[in-house]
Amino acid sequence: MYYSEEIIEEVRSRNDIVDIISGYVALKKQGNNYFGICPFHNEKSPSFSVNRRGQFFHCFGCGKGGNVFTFVCEYENFSFPEAVKFLADRSGIALPEVEMTPEMKKHAGEKQKLMEIQKEAATFYYYQLRNGSGSTGLEYFKNDRKLSDETMKKFGLGYSLKYTDAMYRYLKEKGYEDELIQKSGLCDYSEKYGFNDKFINRVMFPIFDIHDKVIAFGGRVMGDGKPKYLNSPETPIFNKSRTVYGLNFARTSRKDRIIMCEGYMDVIAMHQGGFTEACASLGTAFTYEQANLIKRYSKNIYLAYDSDGAGTAAALKNIKILHECGLGCRVIDLKPCKDPDEFLKTYGPEEFEKRIENAINGFMFEIGKLREEYPPGNPDDETNFQKETAKKLCRYKDELERDNYLKAVCREYGIQEKLMEDYVRKVSSAMELKGDEDKDDTAVTGLKSGRKEAPSADDAIKNAQRAFLTFIVEDPPLYLKLKDYISVTDFTDPLYCKVAGIMFEEIESDGFNPGAIISSFPETDDQRLVAEIFSTKVGNIEGDSQKNQTIKDLIIKIRDNAISDYQLKNATDGNAIMKTIKDRKALDEFKHKELNLY
Ligand SMILES: [Zn+2]
């Protein structure tokens, strides 16, 4: 970790999780918990819970969970140290200089070197564009794309030579080792050919992070080579799905809007035309991370996509992703031009500004496209059109919002409001019963982490271990009454074992603190699982005798598994055999014992 445990704990304890999360999500108190609509998946009824006493959150729908750090990391797309900084600033805690372990220093050193390499490469490409051998590239930018020197400079545009190892030789000359050059993504290595440049005879677009540092490149081929556009592969400093091209400039544009385009050239043309709020996702469709990233800078999103079929398809897909991340958007009509570049060249920035003003609401755009699929006139098409529209309206969980869209659609397409209202209500409750909201969407299913697989014997054991811990979370002193029958080593699942270890120790010393326990797990996946332990409801167990029995059964299951596990691992050890026999006997005695916990 970057910061000491003490400072992390101080930051955590000074930022109440309910206060922080209610800045993002409307929460309602319900019993001991607060509930709201989950910001991480699309839902209509609140299954996102926040626990003030334990200082953790958990979503019963998508399974996300953790403490206050996990939340801001996920929501704001922060790294852990960024989250600590953000929350420390918020609560007026001065952070000390970072403390790094040798391992971290090595890792950080490598990242820093990779950043240096990208910078060197950018300088090299930039130089090549302006000197003899880069003339094809320069002509392309100047004559075909009409870019000014100023624009080319701002975006650091360059050119990669026709030689197959120009970059490799350049980086070697600068003293970088092969291993690092390979990791930079600028050169490929094969046994047969050795090192070869990744980018050959292409105009080069440096890709910046939001702090204006070059982290990767995109290249467009000169001539007919394939592929036309090529990006750097992912590297330790380049995560494609978390990077938005041009956002480093757009975020400081001082206009409260972001215009999303399809590619580098669109973004650059837009900036040259004065629209410095333009940026692009790398690839046609947004990722959730990218949507959450731009959300940090503006909630007014415009799409300036190509007016062809592919552009429309990308727009439709992204409207949905943006909606799922809580963002509305508007679609800019570029017809009769095919893209923003052509539009600006033909009609100029003032006309473009008018198109922005007249941009159509993303949802209405979707319905418009649906209408094209089912043109008016034929009753069957009309029915299908209205049915599909109703389904789309169900996406809005807020009644007021849904009603407004419903009215707008009905007005626009001459549909009877009352009819539509009734139908939407019917579809909506049917969808809720089936529990599938937009089943077709793989992006959303991806979030749901496959928790519907059939349970195996292994799962049964894990479930027992988790359920036991959940009982203890609900009533920590219970552990003191049970500690003679069960111990940390009985938890064969490594994660649960670690949680049990910390929990039991804390309960003994009277300082049980779920939010702090979550901090000791660096991986968000683990944080999610730990938060799940803390918030699992222990079924509908009525009456003390039933509770006693349930806990007894859990202990038997966990102990029985632990003994078998131990036996298996120490099969040839004489002492272990003796221990196993003893443990089995003790477990048998326990089975006949009456537990009186309540
Ligand atoms: Zn959720």
Side-chain angles (χ1 to χ4, degrees):
M1 290 232 178
Y2 246 69
Y3 300 103
S4 70
E5 275 174 39
E6 291 75 32
I7 196 87
I8 288 172
E9 184 49 22
E10 193 191 344
V11 173
R12 195 196 59 74
S13 62
R14 296 255 299 265
N15 284 278
D16 180 77
I17 195 161
V18 175
D19 291 350
I20 297 292
I21 294 184
S22 48
Y24 300 93
V25 178
L27 295 175
K28 253 195 202 140
K29 194 160 195 287
Q30 218 176 305
N32 289 326
N33 287 318
Y34 291 78
F35 277 87
I37 299 286
C38 177
F40 304 117
H41 83 283
N42 186 23
E43 63 174 3
K44 292 181 205 81
S45 45
S47 47
F48 178 81
S49 74
V50 186
N51 183 304
R52 177 168 260 160
R53 193 171 52 103
Q55 291 292 307
F56 60 85
F57 74 95
H58 171 72
C59 173
F60 292 94
C62 66
K64 284 230 191 253
N67 62 13
V68 69
F69 292 124
T70 327
F71 183 84
V72 289
C73 281
E74 297 265 342
Y75 193 96
E76 297 275 16
N77 220 334
F78 284 155
S79 66
F80 184 74
E82 281 173 333
V84 175
K85 174 113 192 14
F86 173 78
L87 292 174
D89 287 350
R90 201 184 161 276
S91 50
I93 297 172
L95 288 176
E97 288 288 310
V98 289
E99 302 155 23
M100 287 204 253
T101 63
E103 174 71 14
M104 280 167 55
K105 273 187 192 146
K106 183 178 171 266
H107 194 65
E110 184 186 280
K111 275 190 159 179
Q112 201 186 338
K113 283 218 174 85
L114 287 171
M115 297 292 263
E116 274 170 32
I117 289 184
Q118 303 296 327
K119 199 176 160 193
E120 289 283 5
T123 314
F124 184 71
Y125 291 142
Y126 185 87
Y127 174 82
Q128 297 302 338
L129 184 76
R130 285 153 188 82
N131 289 279
S133 36
S135 58
T136 35
L138 195 63
E139 272 163 33
Y140 170 77
F141 283 138
K142 279 196 158 164
N143 303 338
D144 295 8
R145 293 299 179 166
K146 309 271 184 276
L147 297 184
S148 69
D149 280 337
E150 197 193 335
T151 303
M152 283 192 277
K153 208 169 160 192
K154 173 177 171 184
F155 285 91
L157 304 182
Y159 174 73
S160 59
L161 295 173
K162 280 182 183 165
Y163 308 111
T164 54
D165 63 349
M167 179 56 73
Y168 175 69
R169 277 185 289 126
Y170 178 73
L171 293 174
K172 276 309 260 191
E173 243 170 60
K174 292 272 165 190
Y176 293 106
E177 288 156 22
D178 283 351
E179 194 196 338
L180 214 56
I181 294 178
Q182 198 179 347
K183 273 194 184 164
S184 75
L186 290 163
C187 303
D188 291 326
Y189 176 78
S190 71
E191 293 258 316
K192 204 168 162 192
Y193 302 106
F195 278 94
N196 268 316
D197 288 1
K198 173 116 185 148
F199 300 100
I200 297 164
N201 190 28
R202 289 171 183 272
V203 285
M204 299 299 295
F205 304 86
I207 296 169
F208 301 93
D209 67 9
I210 53 164
H211 309 295
D212 300 323
K213 297 261 190 315
V214 181
I215 50 171
F217 289 90
R220 183 197 188 279
V221 79
M222 294 287 90
D224 297 325
K226 288 258 157 65
K228 194 167 165 193
Y229 283 95
L230 184 66
N231 279 334
S232 293
E234 301 233 325
T235 69
I237 56 170
F238 177 48
N239 182 335
K240 208 167 144 184
S241 58
R242 285 179 175 236
T243 308
V244 176
Y245 182 72
L247 188 61
N248 56 316
F249 302 123
R251 74 187 185 116
T252 57
S253 74
R254 291 168 186 270
K255 297 185 193 172
D256 185 23
R257 66 183 183 207
I258 295 273
I259 303 177
M260 293 302 299
C261 307
E262 273 189 57
Y264 318 110
M265 268 320 304
D266 295 325
V267 173
I268 296 171
M270 290 281 287
H271 280 247
Q272 183 163 289
F275 298 94
T276 53
E277 70 274 39
C279 42
S281 55
L282 300 160
T284 47
F286 267 130
T287 62
Y288 287 86
E289 285 112 325
Q290 286 167 336
N292 280 323
L293 187 62
I294 54 175
K295 194 167 153 183
R296 276 157 73 171
Y297 303 107
S298 180
K299 291 197 166 54
N300 295 319
I301 314 298
Y302 289 79
L303 303 181
Y305 285 6
D306 291 4
S307 49
D308 60 2
T312 305
L316 288 173
K317 202 166 173 185
N318 294 347
I319 290 168
K320 210 162 154 192
I321 291 173
L322 287 166
H323 173 78
E324 274 157 22
C325 295
L327 286 168
C329 71
R330 272 171 272 187
V331 182
I332 301 171
D333 183 7
L334 298 169
K335 280 187 204 113
C337 298
K338 78 171 196 310
D339 57 32
D341 188 18
E342 190 188 311
F343 190 96
L344 284 165
K345 282 193 184 107
T346 318
Y347 299 103
E350 272 169 40
E351 275 307 307
F352 199 95
E353 188 63 54
K354 278 187 202 153
R355 292 289 175 107
I356 296 176
E357 275 161 34
N358 294 322
I360 176 173
N361 171 286
F363 185 76
M364 296 307 281
F365 175 82
E366 248 188 293
I367 303 299
K369 290 294 154 192
L370 196 63
R371 176 92 275 186
E372 285 172 21
E373 242 176 88
Y374 303 108
N378 175 342
D380 283 344
D381 281 342
E382 196 61 54
T383 311
N384 284 329
F385 169 67
Q386 294 185 14
K387 278 188 175 171
E388 290 295 316
T389 302
K391 259 196 222 162
K392 288 186 190 295
L393 280 165
C394 291
R395 227 189 267 159
Y396 294 96
K397 34 211 176 229
D398 186 281
E399 267 175 53
L400 209 65
E401 203 182 6
R402 184 190 286 183
D403 189 54
N404 281 325
Y405 276 109
L406 189 144
K407 286 199 175 104
V409 169
C410 290
R411 216 180 306 128
E412 175 92 23
Y413 297 98
I415 305 168
Q416 253 191 58
E417 251 176 55
K418 179 79 179 66
L419 221 63
M420 193 54 140
E421 248 174 56
D422 291 346
Y423 193 74
V424 166
R425 200 169 301 127
K426 236 168 50 194
V427 176
S428 158
S429 51
M431 273 167 119
E432 235 152 63
L433 272 180
K434 260 169 53 198
D436 62 344
E437 306 167 349
D438 290 330
K439 220 161 126 199
D440 57 335
D441 199 329
T442 46
V444 179
T445 346
L447 282 175
K448 289 189 180 162
S449 66
R451 51 191 47 242
K452 276 173 193 155
E453 287 159 26
S456 65
D458 229 28
D459 285 342
I461 292 297
K462 273 173 91 168
N463 286 343
Q465 295 178 8
R466 190 184 65 212
F468 182 82
L469 292 176
T470 304
F471 267 108
I472 305 294
V473 171
E474 292 212 332
D475 179 14
L478 191 63
Y479 167 70
L480 301 172
K481 297 182 197 161
L482 294 168
K483 64 179 189 177
D484 290 342
Y485 313 116
I486 193 160
S487 68
V488 175
T489 48
D490 293 329
F491 293 80
T492 49
D493 179 89
L495 181 86
Y496 296 161
C497 181
K498 193 173 169 195
V499 176
I502 308 173
M503 261 171 70
F504 296 169
E505 210 186 296
E506 287 191 354
I507 294 169
E508 296 256 21
S509 60
D510 202 21
F512 178 57
N513 187 340
I517 293 180
I518 293 172
S519 281
S520 47
F521 295 86
E523 299 293 328
T524 45
D525 276 351
D526 290 341
Q527 294 173 356
R528 179 170 63 76
L529 292 170
V530 178
E532 190 176 56
I533 302 174
F534 294 154
S535 47
T536 306
K537 282 268 167 297
V538 199
N540 264 349
I541 305 168
E542 276 169 39
D544 292 348
S545 73
Q546 210 189 335
K547 255 189 187 168
N548 280 324
Q549 190 57 46
T550 308
I551 291 173
K552 192 173 162 185
D553 289 346
L554 285 173
I555 294 177
I556 293 170
K557 204 173 208 165
I558 294 167
R559 279 292 291 153
D560 182 59
N561 169 65
I563 297 168
S564 307
D565 193 63
Y566 177 82
Q567 193 176 14
L568 210 69
K569 280 183 186 147
N570 303 281
T572 54
D573 179 342
N575 290 333
I577 296 169
M578 289 309 292
K579 180 174 159 31
T580 307
I581 294 170
K582 229 177 98 197
D583 285 349
R584 283 265 167 239
K585 208 170 148 242
L587 182 59
D588 265 343
E589 275 166 25
F590 177 75
K591 280 181 190 167
H592 295 99
K593 195 178 158 60
E594 204 176 314
L595 267 191
N596 279 312
L597 301 166
Y598 295 97

